[in-house]
Amino acid sequence: MSIRVYVFNDYTNSFESYYLGLNDTLPYVTNDTLKVKEFRGSSSSTVLWTHRKFMEAWNTLRTAWGKGIYVPFAFKRIWEGGHSYQSQHYAGVAIDCGQNLNETEREKLRNLAKSLGVFEYVEPKSDAPTWVHIDKRLKPPACETGYITLRNGSKNTCVFVLQDALNALGYTGGGLDGIFGSGTENSVRRFQRDQGLTVDGIVGCNAWRRLTSLAKGIGKTNTVVNP
């Protein structure tokens, strides 16, 4: 099976595209420590997206840990669900790992991830008692937590989430490429108009809340795009 992997290169402000097998190592991952099938996890998608800096943060954690880290859950598409409404898993910048460790070892991994300072968020034990959640979310969020504000010209994996949700709900025309252009703006405006939101083509807190509440976990509709 060939999987298309989009990596946003944070240093060049551009997306890179790769066709990889499930057993291939993800781009920018060193020492073969995270394969496509691990990052894909329980998702059925044939297209994935992530950020180069997230892969580099993983490299830092894996090197500091010094041994393998079990990764059963990472990427998901919003219409597949399985996570919260504005989950960083849908943006391809989150991993749930360490489920095979005992409680003591898992706490060591969690504390190490926090101490390295390369992740924006490491979920506390109280919220993730049997796994270690790490993510490298973009900031500042449009709401208290979640995705950043997007507008025409935005380019990142949050745009992938936006386009994926719009497409799944039937607001097509923006494609699925992580780039917020005129087609995506038109789809956003149509969605805002239909939902009684301010029609400005900007995806802020209210638009994100409404969009994700409608799209999360609805399943693969006939308007879902797979580039």
Side-chain angles (χ1 to χ4, degrees):
M1 176 183 289
S2 180
I3 304 294
R4 189 169 188 178
V5 180
Y6 287 92
V7 180
F8 185 75
N9 190 322
D10 308 83
Y11 305 104
T12 63
N13 194 41
S14 62
F15 275 103
E16 300 166 356
S17 176
Y18 305 82
Y19 287 95
L20 301 171
L22 290 173
N23 289 312
D24 289 334
T25 301
L26 282 166
Y28 298 108
V29 168
T30 57
N31 299 320
D32 198 32
T33 61
L34 187 62
K35 295 183 180 297
V36 171
K37 65 181 178 183
E38 293 175 301
F39 185 73
R40 183 174 181 246
S42 59
S43 174
S44 62
S45 181
T46 56
V47 56
L48 314 174
W49 45 81
T50 189
H51 276 244
R52 176 176 175 173
K53 284 189 175 180
F54 182 54
M55 296 295 95
E56 292 175 343
W58 167 263
N59 292 336
T60 299
L61 175 62
R62 177 60 177 76
T63 298
W65 186 242
K67 52 188 174 183
I69 300 175
Y70 176 58
V71 179
F73 300 110
F75 181 85
K76 276 281 192 178
R77 291 177 71 167
I78 189 167
W79 44 265
E80 292 181 300
H83 300 283
S84 60
Y85 289 101
Q86 294 191 49
S87 171
Q88 300 302 322
H89 288 281
Y90 306 138
V93 290
I95 285 175
D96 291 341
C97 59
Q99 287 88 336
N100 63 337
L101 300 174
N102 62 43
E103 186 176 353
T104 299
E105 284 293 292
R106 196 157 45 241
E107 188 65 9
K108 286 182 181 177
L109 180 59
R110 184 180 291 109
N111 289 335
L112 175 61
K114 289 190 290 187
S115 70
L116 292 171
V118 295
F119 299 105
E120 269 59 50
Y121 181 68
V122 179
E123 201 164 21
K125 179 182 177 181
S126 58
D127 294 333
T130 60
W131 68 91
V132 177
H133 170 96
I134 52 177
D135 70 52
K136 197 162 182 63
R137 61 190 64 182
L138 300 178
K139 290 187 174 182
C143 301
E144 294 81 5
T145 60
Y147 306 132
I148 61 171
T149 299
L150 299 176
R151 52 176 50 84
N152 200 317
S154 296
K155 188 187 304 181
N156 51 65
T157 59
C158 288
V159 179
F160 264 112
V161 182
L162 169 66
Q163 293 171 328
D164 207 21
L166 288 169
N167 288 332
L169 293 170
Y171 293 90
T172 58
L176 188 68
D177 58 7
I179 302 171
F180 195 133
S182 59
T184 299
E185 182 177 347
N186 289 337
S187 295
V188 168
R189 288 179 179 274
R190 285 189 285 121
F191 175 79
Q192 290 172 326
R193 186 176 299 110
D194 289 349
Q195 294 298 314
L197 301 171
T198 300
V199 181
D200 57 6
I202 298 172
V203 185
C205 185
N206 290 337
W208 271 126
R209 283 178 171 166
R210 188 68 58 83
L211 181 65
T212 56
S213 68
L214 292 172
K216 183 181 83 76
I218 64 170
K220 187 177 181 180
T221 67
N222 60 10
T223 49
V224 163
V225 172
N226 287 303

mmCIF file with all atom_site columns, all heavy atoms in Angstrom, residues 4 12 14 21 23 41 49 57 78 96 182:
data_model
loop_
_atom_site.group_PDB
_atom_site.id
_atom_site.type_symbol
_atom_site.label_atom_id
_atom_site.label_alt_id
_atom_site.label_comp_id
_atom_site.label_asym_id
_atom_site.label_entity_id
_atom_site.label_seq_id
_atom_site.pdbx_PDB_ins_code
_atom_site.Cartn_x
_atom_site.Cartn_y
_atom_site.Cartn_z
_atom_site.occupancy
_atom_site.B_iso_or_equiv
_atom_site.pdbx_formal_charge
_atom_site.auth_seq_id
_atom_site.auth_comp_id
_atom_site.auth_asym_id
_atom_site.auth_atom_id
_atom_site.pdbx_PDB_model_num
ATOM 1  N N   . ARG A 1 4   ? 0.413   8.604  0.801  1.00 0.00 ? 4   ARG A N   1
ATOM 2  C CA  . ARG A 1 4   ? 0.939   9.936  0.506  1.00 0.00 ? 4   ARG A CA  1
ATOM 3  C C   . ARG A 1 4   ? 1.109   10.702 1.807  1.00 0.00 ? 4   ARG A C   1
ATOM 4  O O   . ARG A 1 4   ? 0.154   10.835 2.582  1.00 0.00 ? 4   ARG A O   1
ATOM 5  C CB  . ARG A 1 4   ? 0.013   10.695 -0.439 1.00 0.00 ? 4   ARG A CB  1
ATOM 6  C CG  . ARG A 1 4   ? 0.644   11.997 -0.950 1.00 0.00 ? 4   ARG A CG  1
ATOM 7  C CD  . ARG A 1 4   ? -0.149  12.611 -2.081 1.00 0.00 ? 4   ARG A CD  1
ATOM 8  N NE  . ARG A 1 4   ? 0.566   13.728 -2.664 1.00 0.00 ? 4   ARG A NE  1
ATOM 9  C CZ  . ARG A 1 4   ? 0.137   14.434 -3.708 1.00 0.00 ? 4   ARG A CZ  1
ATOM 10 N NH1 . ARG A 1 4   ? -1.013  14.129 -4.287 1.00 0.00 ? 4   ARG A NH1 1
ATOM 11 N NH2 . ARG A 1 4   ? 0.847   15.441 -4.183 1.00 0.00 ? 4   ARG A NH2 1
ATOM 12 N N   . THR A 1 12  ? 11.072  26.305 5.513  1.00 0.00 ? 12  THR A N   1
ATOM 13 C CA  . THR A 1 12  ? 10.893  26.862 4.172  1.00 0.00 ? 12  THR A CA  1
ATOM 14 C C   . THR A 1 12  ? 9.455   27.338 3.929  1.00 0.00 ? 12  THR A C   1
ATOM 15 O O   . THR A 1 12  ? 9.156   27.870 2.869  1.00 0.00 ? 12  THR A O   1
ATOM 16 C CB  . THR A 1 12  ? 11.244  25.814 3.102  1.00 0.00 ? 12  THR A CB  1
ATOM 17 O OG1 . THR A 1 12  ? 10.340  24.701 3.220  1.00 0.00 ? 12  THR A OG1 1
ATOM 18 C CG2 . THR A 1 12  ? 12.686  25.327 3.270  1.00 0.00 ? 12  THR A CG2 1
ATOM 19 N N   . SER A 1 14  ? 6.768   25.615 3.402  1.00 0.00 ? 14  SER A N   1
ATOM 20 C CA  . SER A 1 14  ? 6.201   24.933 2.247  1.00 0.00 ? 14  SER A CA  1
ATOM 21 C C   . SER A 1 14  ? 5.948   23.468 2.583  1.00 0.00 ? 14  SER A C   1
ATOM 22 O O   . SER A 1 14  ? 6.570   22.898 3.487  1.00 0.00 ? 14  SER A O   1
ATOM 23 C CB  . SER A 1 14  ? 7.147   25.027 1.044  1.00 0.00 ? 14  SER A CB  1
ATOM 24 O OG  . SER A 1 14  ? 8.376   24.393 1.325  1.00 0.00 ? 14  SER A OG  1
ATOM 25 N N   . GLY A 1 21  ? 5.682   3.483  1.712  1.00 0.00 ? 21  GLY A N   1
ATOM 26 C CA  . GLY A 1 21  ? 5.033   2.264  2.146  1.00 0.00 ? 21  GLY A CA  1
ATOM 27 C C   . GLY A 1 21  ? 4.813   2.281  3.649  1.00 0.00 ? 21  GLY A C   1
ATOM 28 O O   . GLY A 1 21  ? 5.420   3.081  4.375  1.00 0.00 ? 21  GLY A O   1
ATOM 29 N N   . ASN A 1 23  ? 5.840   0.342  5.891  1.00 0.00 ? 23  ASN A N   1
ATOM 30 C CA  . ASN A 1 23  ? 7.037   -0.001 6.657  1.00 0.00 ? 23  ASN A CA  1
ATOM 31 C C   . ASN A 1 23  ? 8.182   0.987  6.476  1.00 0.00 ? 23  ASN A C   1
ATOM 32 O O   . ASN A 1 23  ? 9.253   0.799  7.047  1.00 0.00 ? 23  ASN A O   1
ATOM 33 C CB  . ASN A 1 23  ? 7.515   -1.411 6.308  1.00 0.00 ? 23  ASN A CB  1
ATOM 34 C CG  . ASN A 1 23  ? 6.591   -2.481 6.845  1.00 0.00 ? 23  ASN A CG  1
ATOM 35 O OD1 . ASN A 1 23  ? 6.198   -2.444 8.013  1.00 0.00 ? 23  ASN A OD1 1
ATOM 36 N ND2 . ASN A 1 23  ? 6.217   -3.432 5.998  1.00 0.00 ? 23  ASN A ND2 1
ATOM 37 N N   . GLY A 1 41  ? -1.312  4.572  12.587 1.00 0.00 ? 41  GLY A N   1
ATOM 38 C CA  . GLY A 1 41  ? -2.035  3.963  13.689 1.00 0.00 ? 41  GLY A CA  1
ATOM 39 C C   . GLY A 1 41  ? -3.312  3.271  13.252 1.00 0.00 ? 41  GLY A C   1
ATOM 40 O O   . GLY A 1 41  ? -3.314  2.434  12.353 1.00 0.00 ? 41  GLY A O   1
ATOM 41 N N   . TRP A 1 49  ? -0.588  13.821 7.143  1.00 0.00 ? 49  TRP A N   1
ATOM 42 C CA  . TRP A 1 49  ? 0.128   15.099 7.167  1.00 0.00 ? 49  TRP A CA  1
ATOM 43 C C   . TRP A 1 49  ? 0.737   15.341 8.550  1.00 0.00 ? 49  TRP A C   1
ATOM 44 O O   . TRP A 1 49  ? 0.225   14.876 9.560  1.00 0.00 ? 49  TRP A O   1
ATOM 45 C CB  . TRP A 1 49  ? -0.777  16.256 6.765  1.00 0.00 ? 49  TRP A CB  1
ATOM 46 C CG  . TRP A 1 49  ? -2.141  16.256 7.393  1.00 0.00 ? 49  TRP A CG  1
ATOM 47 C CD1 . TRP A 1 49  ? -2.498  16.677 8.638  1.00 0.00 ? 49  TRP A CD1 1
ATOM 48 C CD2 . TRP A 1 49  ? -3.361  15.822 6.756  1.00 0.00 ? 49  TRP A CD2 1
ATOM 49 N NE1 . TRP A 1 49  ? -3.845  16.548 8.845  1.00 0.00 ? 49  TRP A NE1 1
ATOM 50 C CE2 . TRP A 1 49  ? -4.409  16.014 7.711  1.00 0.00 ? 49  TRP A CE2 1
ATOM 51 C CE3 . TRP A 1 49  ? -3.675  15.309 5.508  1.00 0.00 ? 49  TRP A CE3 1
ATOM 52 C CZ2 . TRP A 1 49  ? -5.735  15.698 7.429  1.00 0.00 ? 49  TRP A CZ2 1
ATOM 53 C CZ3 . TRP A 1 49  ? -4.997  14.990 5.238  1.00 0.00 ? 49  TRP A CZ3 1
ATOM 54 C CH2 . TRP A 1 49  ? -6.001  15.193 6.187  1.00 0.00 ? 49  TRP A CH2 1
ATOM 55 N N   . ALA A 1 57  ? 11.025  16.964 17.045 1.00 0.00 ? 57  ALA A N   1
ATOM 56 C CA  . ALA A 1 57  ? 10.758  16.844 18.484 1.00 0.00 ? 57  ALA A CA  1
ATOM 57 C C   . ALA A 1 57  ? 10.719  15.367 18.883 1.00 0.00 ? 57  ALA A C   1
ATOM 58 O O   . ALA A 1 57  ? 11.227  14.979 19.951 1.00 0.00 ? 57  ALA A O   1
ATOM 59 C CB  . ALA A 1 57  ? 9.451   17.537 18.837 1.00 0.00 ? 57  ALA A CB  1
ATOM 60 N N   . ILE A 1 78  ? -10.459 13.983 10.867 1.00 0.00 ? 78  ILE A N   1
ATOM 61 C CA  . ILE A 1 78  ? -11.507 14.441 11.766 1.00 0.00 ? 78  ILE A CA  1
ATOM 62 C C   . ILE A 1 78  ? -12.815 13.678 11.568 1.00 0.00 ? 78  ILE A C   1
ATOM 63 O O   . ILE A 1 78  ? -13.542 13.407 12.537 1.00 0.00 ? 78  ILE A O   1
ATOM 64 C CB  . ILE A 1 78  ? -11.709 15.968 11.646 1.00 0.00 ? 78  ILE A CB  1
ATOM 65 C CG1 . ILE A 1 78  ? -12.644 16.465 12.751 1.00 0.00 ? 78  ILE A CG1 1
ATOM 66 C CG2 . ILE A 1 78  ? -12.192 16.362 10.248 1.00 0.00 ? 78  ILE A CG2 1
ATOM 67 C CD1 . ILE A 1 78  ? -12.657 17.966 12.909 1.00 0.00 ? 78  ILE A CD1 1
ATOM 68 N N   . ASP A 1 96  ? 0.094   9.367  20.871 1.00 0.00 ? 96  ASP A N   1
ATOM 69 C CA  . ASP A 1 96  ? -0.188  8.701  22.141 1.00 0.00 ? 96  ASP A CA  1
ATOM 70 C C   . ASP A 1 96  ? 0.687   7.453  22.191 1.00 0.00 ? 96  ASP A C   1
ATOM 71 O O   . ASP A 1 96  ? 0.574   6.579  21.323 1.00 0.00 ? 96  ASP A O   1
ATOM 72 C CB  . ASP A 1 96  ? -1.659  8.307  22.246 1.00 0.00 ? 96  ASP A CB  1
ATOM 73 C CG  . ASP A 1 96  ? -2.584  9.506  22.370 1.00 0.00 ? 96  ASP A CG  1
ATOM 74 O OD1 . ASP A 1 96  ? -2.091  10.596 22.730 1.00 0.00 ? 96  ASP A OD1 1
ATOM 75 O OD2 . ASP A 1 96  ? -3.787  9.353  22.110 1.00 0.00 ? 96  ASP A OD2 1
ATOM 76 N N   . SER A 1 182 ? -8.314  30.824 -2.453 1.00 0.00 ? 182 SER A N   1
ATOM 77 C CA  . SER A 1 182 ? -9.640  31.385 -2.717 1.00 0.00 ? 182 SER A CA  1
ATOM 78 C C   . SER A 1 182 ? -10.729 30.323 -2.675 1.00 0.00 ? 182 SER A C   1
ATOM 79 O O   . SER A 1 182 ? -11.851 30.593 -2.235 1.00 0.00 ? 182 SER A O   1
ATOM 80 C CB  . SER A 1 182 ? -9.639  32.101 -4.079 1.00 0.00 ? 182 SER A CB  1
ATOM 81 O OG  . SER A 1 182 ? -9.285  31.200 -5.115 1.00 0.00 ? 182 SER A OG  1
#
